[in-house]
Amino acid sequence: MSLDAFLLRMPKVELHVHLEGSIRPATLLRLARRHGIELPARDEAGLREWFRFRDFEHFVEIYLTVSRCLLDGDDFHALTLDFLAEQARQNVLYTEAHFTISTHLAHGVDPDAAADALAAAAAEGERRFGVRLGLIPDVVRNVGPEAADLTLEWALAHRGDGVVALGLSGSEDRFPNEPYREHFAEAERRGLHRVAHAGEHAGPESVRSALDVARAERIGHGVRAVEDPALVAELARHGVPLEVCPTSNVCLGVYPSLADHPFDELRRAGVPLSVNSDDPPFFNTTLSGEYAALAATFGYGADELAGLSLAALRHAFLADAERAELEARFQEEMRALGEELLGQPVAVS
């Protein structure tokens, strides 16, 4: 059997994927028809073609169109359950997904209805598929402090409904982090984890700012840290994980190709890394496909790829007991899959 079959069935954790950006064409079509919203295409094949990445402006157009189709609890339930079914197909046992609640509030969505629907779908997904979901509501740099106030309020109110962290996203190259310092300080005071998109469209200074202003425990993307050797050494020394999305970085023009991507350089420098898909339908990828692309580009074998999967688990915002239980399961499944599909056990540590 092939390495691809091993990667599809390998137990995985995903830490950087956007819930709205994970919507499949069939789901979007169903929601748009339900609300009488006109889309650029009338069938799945047409939507798949429309989803095909062209440029950043087109990406934003799709994202905003998806958001306009998410109007009530039933919509959020359908989106989330469909996402968890796909994660289960790839044996992604735990996911921390970004979710931009402020966009939906601006469209008139009831905040409690959205939270209730997300929590119900997460519970159903765990019951039906055996996969778990944590949510990371995002403060969007572009939108301003008032929307950030609402995001923080929603995040703190719904920690018991699956919220695990406060995120920072938006245009890092055009909007500063400083206006949100107090939001992340309050999140830290209230025991909420913090993550931040940085080092994607802006350079190492963006990563340093995210660590300072947002007190980020993980950096979303972060790959342009490679431009500052001192920062790379600091990330490695302090064990600050980067949530790397290789295909997204290529599609969005951060690097011209996977061969030019610094994933392997960062890995060899000792920076903790996880593999992620970001907005999989928009970039025509999957989490399993990201692992396969790294194998093809950098020559990683099953042991190294399994080690990256285990690293993602170790970077997750899970209680120690839950992490230990999942790690034991990962180790056992990886060994068994290696023997079944590759003819030898997979050894990870």
Side-chain angles (χ1 to χ4, degrees), residues 23-325:
I23 196 167
R24 293 190 285 188
T27 306
L28 179 60
L29 192 64
R30 187 166 71 250
L31 297 182
R33 286 173 175 168
R34 178 171 180 260
H35 294 296
I37 296 172
E38 192 72 24
L39 295 175
R42 296 179 179 270
D43 57 26
E44 287 185 51
L47 283 180
R48 278 194 295 272
E49 181 60 32
W50 181 58
F51 271 22
R52 191 184 302 275
F53 182 83
R54 300 172 200 163
D55 52 38
F56 186 69
E57 289 72 24
H58 175 242
F59 169 80
V60 172
E61 176 192 349
I62 298 172
Y63 207 93
L64 292 177
T65 300
V66 169
S67 296
R68 284 194 293 270
C69 293
L70 294 164
L71 297 177
D72 59 31
D74 288 344
D75 299 337
F76 289 105
H77 189 281
L79 168 70
T80 305
L81 197 60
D82 186 64
F83 169 70
L84 292 174
E86 171 59 20
Q87 296 297 81
R89 186 188 70 83
Q90 298 183 69
N91 204 23
V92 184
L93 300 179
Y94 177 70
T95 302
E96 292 176 0
H98 289 265
F99 176 66
T100 311
I101 184 62
S102 61
T103 300
H104 307 298
L105 297 181
H107 291 162
V109 169
D110 181 277
D112 293 329
D116 290 346
L118 292 164
E124 184 175 346
E126 185 170 5
R127 184 175 66 252
R128 288 176 55 183
F129 310 129
V131 297
R132 292 185 53 205
L133 175 66
L135 291 173
I136 303 175
D138 276 336
V139 167
V140 183
R141 294 174 175 95
N142 313 40
V143 179
E146 185 176 343
D149 292 345
L150 295 174
T151 300
L152 175 61
E153 180 183 337
W154 190 87
L156 292 171
H158 296 291
R159 279 179 294 181
D161 300 324
V163 170
V164 297
L166 184 68
L168 181 64
S169 65
S171 299
E172 58 171 330
D173 54 338
R174 294 191 296 124
F175 296 90
N177 297 330
E178 190 60 43
Y180 310 105
R181 181 183 290 275
E182 183 54 33
H183 296 88
F184 285 88
E186 179 64 10
E188 184 175 18
R189 285 192 291 268
R190 301 283 292 275
L192 199 59
H193 292 289
R194 288 88 50 213
V195 301
H197 287 61
E200 179 189 19
H201 296 295
E205 69 284 354
S206 174
V207 176
R208 291 190 180 279
S209 175
L211 294 171
D212 171 37
V213 174
R215 304 277 292 172
E217 297 166 83
R218 295 194 315 245
I219 298 293
H221 300 293
V223 288
R224 290 189 58 190
V226 76
E227 298 166 21
D228 181 348
L231 177 58
V232 170
E234 183 179 331
L235 294 171
R237 184 168 62 253
H238 295 294
V240 179
L242 305 184
E243 308 157 356
V244 185
C245 310
T247 297
S248 168
N249 293 160
V250 172
C251 286
L252 292 175
V254 182
Y255 299 102
S257 71
L258 281 179
D260 297 295
H261 196 283
F263 188 97
D264 193 58
E265 182 178 351
L266 290 164
R267 179 173 174 268
R268 286 186 284 105
V271 178
L273 306 176
S274 63
V275 182
N276 305 276
S277 64
D278 206 7
D279 300 278
F282 299 172
F283 300 130
N284 192 30
T285 190
T286 63
L287 183 57
S288 300
E290 293 295 305
Y291 279 95
L294 290 173
T297 303
F298 299 116
Y300 298 156
D303 290 357
E304 293 154 306
L305 297 163
L308 288 167
S309 180
L310 199 58
L313 170 60
R314 291 168 177 167
H315 303 161
F317 297 135
L318 285 166
D320 290 344
E322 294 172 291
R323 190 191 330 276
E325 182 180 347

Side-chain angles (χ1 to χ4, degrees), residues 333-344:
E333 286 192 21
M334 287 169 175
R335 280 193 293 269
L337 283 170
E339 291 175 347
E340 176 189 349
L341 300 177
L342 304 174
Q344 59 185 25

